Amino acid sequence: MIMETNSKTLNWRFDVSTFKLLGRELITDRITAIFELVKNCYDANAENVTIEFYDVGKLSENSRIIIKDDGHGMSLNEITNNWMVIGTSSKRRKTVSDPPYTRTFIGEKGIGRFAVEKLGAKLLMRTKKEQQTSWNVLEIDWDEYEKLSGEQLELFDQKKTVYFTDIETKFWTEEAETNLKGTQLIMSCIREVWTEYDIARAYKELSKLVSPFGNMCYPFNITVKSNEYDNYLEKRVESLVVEKFVTEQFSLDYDLVSQTQEIIKHEKGNLVKIRQEKPSFGYIKFKLYHIDQHAKGLFRKTYKGTPFEGFIDGVKIYRDGIITTPFAEYEADQNKKRDILGIDKRRWSGFWERLNSHDLIGFLEITKEQNPLIIDATNRQDFVDNPEYRVLKEFIIGQIAELEKYLKYKKEETQKQASHELKTAQDNLSTFTQQIREIERKHPSVKKDLEILEKQARKATISIKKGIKTQEELKKEIIRKENLYLSMLSLQEFASLLAHAVNTKIAKIRDKAKFFFDRFPDEQLNDIFKGYANDFYHQMVSLNKAVEFALSFSKSNLEPSEIEIKELIENVFEQYQFQFDQEQIRSIVEVHGAVTLSINRKHFEDILENLINNSIKALRMTEQKIIKCTSTVEPDKLVIYFSDNGCGISDEHKEKIFEIYFTTTAEEGGSGLGLWIITVRLKQLHGEIVLVESEFKPSGTTFKIALPFQRGKQ
């Protein structure tokens, strides 16, 4: 028997660094942070929300992000007992908002408010209820928490430790008109620059906030403002209507009376709805739209240059009318990315038949009532991995597979019809030729007139036979060509460019070496000799780089492998982190969307490494150095924006930068090969690179790289 002696109780306490764990380290995407705060506005019965980006293009004391709503606001009691309680249970005790809207609460974990710490180091919150005569004002300086956290690492006396809950927060009131209500979050000391690309992405994602299933009887309007970018001086967020671009579609519902869920099945060229018993994950509503190549072209033409340009990006999940887990950021598991249903994981299995996120727009509606076991992960990257969620993913993939079967059937039927029509045309021409001959036999007088017609019929018959033969050969070659499309390079062009590179360098070395041979030694020419020797060294380094490039090409396996783009980009940037630290360069990598491409890994690494090396040189004279790599997913390609805020490229050089050996950084070791190598590598990947307007204008450089997903597919 164990005897209890000196019994006492212990209390949980939170280290002062808790704010960072719940803020920037938990919510690792800036757009997710915006979403969390906007969803709080929704829960507050707001009708109108304004997100203002003020002086965020270049960080300064004036930089602000302000989120305002006209919701119910908070009293001092609500601030004290709800807003300032970590993991508050207020939204779990009361699951809907006040009348007249009675919205089902979206946020219930009680930590979404820490998204403010992700966006800025300081927060000023002003909030009031409609009948109150003053604003309740709260001020938080997260830098003070950071400072205390750092100081406590040096403390040895545990009695002096300050805990998160010990820190006092400044509070006061300000007079206000009684008819005003709502909450204002004013975030300053902004942590990252927001370019127009970033704001455009925020706008596009906010346009998906409300489910198209929702028949809202109340307004929820969002407006984005920016004082720096003309396209967003004041732009109301609008939802995109996709139906006019749809090639195929289906919609699933459920019936509580019969307790059945609709599903689709492909049956002999038709998508048939059938009913099955309630799935383990609960009832769902599901709309899925397929966009074919022709419709994608129309979509791109219609929305080119707008935030909706890359809107075709897979299935989004909504709970009670509002999007949930909008950004599944990088995880080792492919399914824990933005493509949280694992659609794109199947991209290169059955290349021609598989649909991917860039062929589909889908809306999956769940509810707290019907799907209680489909639970958001706290990090907002996915749902909690449990049996119900896994079955849900299998269900959705299964429904997409039925659509694929249907589309494959239609394609095969079209091909059969084309083959049948060719064969029919061949038979008809044969019959036609026989009829001409019969006429010639019966009426010899018209034989001469009919010879030309008969000759043309024979030619047409031969052409049709060739067409039929070619069609059969193409069917046999399609698998082999699938691989060739991914890695084909013009060897003649490559050999020509490499020979030019080597010959140019050798010519420069030869002429100066002859001067050396003829004139050395000569004390009066020592400075020239030293200069030539230095030039020999740099020419040989450049030549060696060209040769290494050739060797890497010849030795690399041209067969593609499946590469997770975000993992690859982050690995390359990690390799440069020591140099970034030495050069005091802040690197920003924001890869949005789960993308797996079948490409040559070495070739893609060459592209990134040369871009980074160029940027490092361009940043030599810049104080606040930034290298930024952002990717977006468009319907048929991956687009990467690679930027730095360095010296930029002058207008006179913009047309020459992709030429071999053209460089403006020779003194910093530039060889003029970097951008040329990038263009060669991208040709192998059927991609392209162009110079676009700098994200960090008026200085800096931004390149846009486009990599197609499915090459050769019609």
Side-chain angles (χ1 to χ4, degrees), residues 657-670:
I657 57 174
F658 296 106
E659 296 177 4
I660 189 169
Y661 291 134
F662 178 80
T663 179
T664 59
T665 59
E667 294 181 1
E668 289 82 21

Side-chain angles (χ1 to χ4, degrees), residues 252 263-274 399:
L252 304 179
I263 65 170
I264 59 160
K265 295 285 287 184
H266 171 246
E267 295 181 0
K268 297 180 179 179
N270 294 301
L271 287 176
V272 180
K273 285 186 182 180
I274 61 176
Q399 293 298 277

Side-chain angles (χ1 to χ4, degrees), residues 286-330:
F286 185 35
K287 287 183 180 179
L288 189 66
Y289 303 105
H290 172 242
I291 318 293
D292 68 10
Q293 292 297 325
H294 174 75
K296 287 179 188 178
L298 179 61
F299 186 94
R300 287 194 296 271
K301 184 177 179 181
T302 304
Y303 293 107
K304 185 176 182 179
T306 75
F308 295 123
E309 190 171 358
F311 193 89
I312 304 173
D313 60 354
V315 176
K316 299 292 177 286
I317 301 179
Y318 293 79
R319 178 183 282 109
D320 293 304
I322 298 295
I323 201 167
T324 183
T325 62
F327 299 95
E329 301 162 65
Y330 176 74

Side-chain angles (χ1 to χ4, degrees), residues 50-57 64 194-196 199 223-235:
T50 301
I51 307 167
E52 183 175 348
F53 298 90
Y54 184 82
D55 282 358
V56 295
R64 300 280 189 278
W194 287 73
T195 67
E196 187 169 357
I199 294 176
T223 301
V224 174
K225 291 184 178 182
S226 168
N227 68 322
E228 297 173 285
Y229 307 117
D230 291 343
N231 290 328
Y232 297 94
L233 294 178
E234 185 168 354
K235 191 176 182 69

Side-chain angles (χ1 to χ4, degrees), residues 126 216 263 522 554 600 642:
R126 304 170 76 240
M216 287 192 175
I263 65 170
D522 187 339
S554 64
N600 183 290
F642 194 98

Side-chain angles (χ1 to χ4, degrees), residues 86-100:
I86 300 173
T88 178
S89 61
S90 60
K91 292 182 183 178
R92 295 192 291 275
R93 294 193 304 268
K94 180 184 177 184
T95 59
V96 296
S97 67
D98 295 332

Side-chain angles (χ1 to χ4, degrees), residues 365-534:
E365 178 74 42
I366 62 176
T367 66
K368 289 182 181 178
E369 180 181 359
Q370 299 297 337
N371 314 97
L373 295 177
I374 306 299
I375 305 165
D376 294 29
T378 303
N379 61 9
R380 305 303 195 265
Q381 294 179 11
D382 201 344
F383 293 92
V384 173
D385 186 17
N386 57 29
E388 290 73 22
Y389 178 46
R390 290 194 288 271
V391 174
L392 173 63
K393 290 198 291 185
E394 291 171 3
F395 176 92
I396 299 304
I397 294 297
Q399 293 298 277
I400 293 173
E402 294 299 317
L403 176 60
E404 290 169 342
K405 293 175 186 177
Y406 168 71
L407 294 173
K408 183 179 180 182
Y409 180 89
K410 284 183 62 178
K411 181 180 178 181
E412 290 174 347
E413 288 299 305
T414 300
Q415 291 173 344
K416 289 178 183 178
Q417 182 64 25
S419 298
H420 175 71
E421 290 175 357
L422 279 173
K423 185 66 171 61
T424 301
Q426 182 184 22
D427 294 341
N428 289 340
L429 277 171
S430 178
T431 301
F432 178 68
T433 302
Q434 291 174 5
Q435 290 174 342
I436 290 176
R437 290 172 180 171
E438 182 65 22
I439 294 172
E440 290 174 345
R441 187 182 64 79
K442 292 181 178 180
H443 305 281
S445 61
V446 299
K447 181 177 180 180
K448 188 174 182 179
D449 296 328
L450 294 177
E451 281 180 350
I452 296 176
L453 189 60
E454 184 181 357
K455 184 177 180 180
Q456 292 298 323
R458 286 199 301 269
K459 285 184 178 180
T461 301
I462 292 171
S463 296
I464 290 175
K465 286 181 178 179
K466 288 181 178 179
I468 293 173
K469 184 178 180 181
T470 300
Q471 186 185 54
E472 293 300 319
E473 290 174 350
L474 286 174
K475 289 178 182 178
K476 296 176 182 178
E477 290 291 308
I478 193 168
I479 296 177
R480 185 179 67 86
K481 287 187 175 182
E482 175 183 332
N483 292 327
L484 290 176
Y485 278 128
L486 298 175
S487 59
M488 184 65 70
L489 175 70
S490 172
L491 295 179
Q492 182 178 2
E493 180 187 13
F494 173 75
S496 175
L497 288 170
L498 183 61
H500 172 70
V502 173
N503 288 335
T504 300
K505 292 298 179 186
I506 290 176
K508 290 182 178 180
I509 294 172
R510 181 191 61 221
D511 293 341
K512 291 181 178 179
K514 188 176 186 305
F515 178 88
F516 237 109
F517 181 83
D518 291 340
R519 306 294 295 272
F520 187 84
D522 187 339
E523 291 185 0
Q524 294 181 351
L525 299 177
N526 277 349
D527 290 340
I528 295 177
F529 293 146
K530 289 179 181 178
Y532 279 10
N534 184 60

